[in-house]
């Protein structure tokens, strides 16, 4: 995705040229912003999270969990649409968490990427119960 800024010689030096922002950049910004909201346990469905944890154990697959898991974006020259799949903690108001996620994601993407966010669609795929073991803890025990 590119941004045209001041074509010609008359514009300010900072506005001469083009700025390209890859879709994965917007995905990472949205993923980090969504994870920052209290009540969001994880992003992605249970299947996607388990496949991601298997990928992370493979040599050369990179370090840490994928920030873009559970995030899909459509990015244009000036606008972006974002789809998120989240897992919420038990006991939180799902509608309140979804609203906070939308606000946080829109704010972060518009501020950092300079793209108007036209929509943030949220799919809640699971609820993390208090007595369920975390995948992280289970993975550490198995190793």
């Amino acid at each position: 995705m590119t941004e045209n800024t001041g074509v010609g010689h008359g514009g300010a030096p900072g506005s001469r040229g083009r700025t390209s922002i890859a879709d994965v950049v917007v995905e990472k910004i949205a993923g980090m912003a969504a994870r920052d909201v209290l009540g969001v346990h994880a992003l992605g469905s249970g299947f996607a999270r388990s496949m991601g944890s298997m990928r992370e154990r493979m040599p050369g697959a990179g370090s840490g969990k994928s920030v873009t898991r559970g995030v899909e974006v459509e990015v244009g020259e000036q606008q972006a649409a974002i789809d998120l799949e989240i897992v919420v903690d038990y006991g939180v108001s799902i509608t309140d968490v979804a609203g906070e996620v939308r606000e946080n994601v829109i704010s972060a993407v518009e501020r950092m990427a300079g793209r108007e966010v036209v929509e943030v669609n949220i799919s809640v795929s699971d609820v993390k119960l208090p007595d369920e073991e975390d995948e992280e803890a289970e993975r550490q025990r198995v190793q």
Side-chain angles (χ1 to χ4, degrees):
M1 113 181 109
T2 59
E3 173 184 359
N4 288 323
T5 54
V7 178
H9 299 288
S15 66
R16 294 181 195 169
R18 299 172 77 119
T19 303
S20 297
I21 302 172
D23 291 2
V24 70
V25 173
V26 176
E27 287 176 349
K28 287 182 178 184
I29 293 168
M32 290 299 293
R35 282 179 175 80
D36 283 346
V37 174
L38 190 64
V40 174
H41 179 74
L43 267 67
S45 66
F47 179 73
R49 289 193 323 271
S50 63
M51 291 303 290
S53 69
M54 286 180 9
R55 258 194 317 273
E56 290 165 9
R57 290 184 221 162
M58 296 177 72
S63 60
K65 53 181 142 178
S66 173
V67 178
T68 61
R69 187 179 310 138
V71 182
E72 290 184 29
V73 301
E74 290 181 38
V75 183
E77 293 271 331
Q78 298 173 354
Q79 297 179 325
I82 301 165
D83 294 330
L84 300 170
E85 187 171 5
I86 67 173
V87 177
V88 297
D89 291 320
Y90 176 80
V92 299
S93 166
I94 294 173
T95 55
D96 289 350
V97 169
E100 289 178 40
V101 167
R102 277 190 188 89
E103 287 179 25
N104 216 30
V105 167
I106 290 169
S107 173
V109 170
E110 288 183 349
R111 179 176 48 83
M112 294 177 70
R115 300 299 183 264
E116 176 191 6
V117 178
V118 293
E119 66 181 6
V120 176
N121 298 311
I122 298 172
S123 171
V124 179
S125 61
D126 203 356
V127 173
K128 166 67 172 72
L129 300 175
D131 59 345
E132 287 180 337
E133 228 177 283
D134 262 347
E135 290 175 17
E136 303 286 323
E138 186 176 320
R139 205 176 321 145
Q140 289 173 356
R141 190 181 75 222
V142 172
Q143 292 178 2

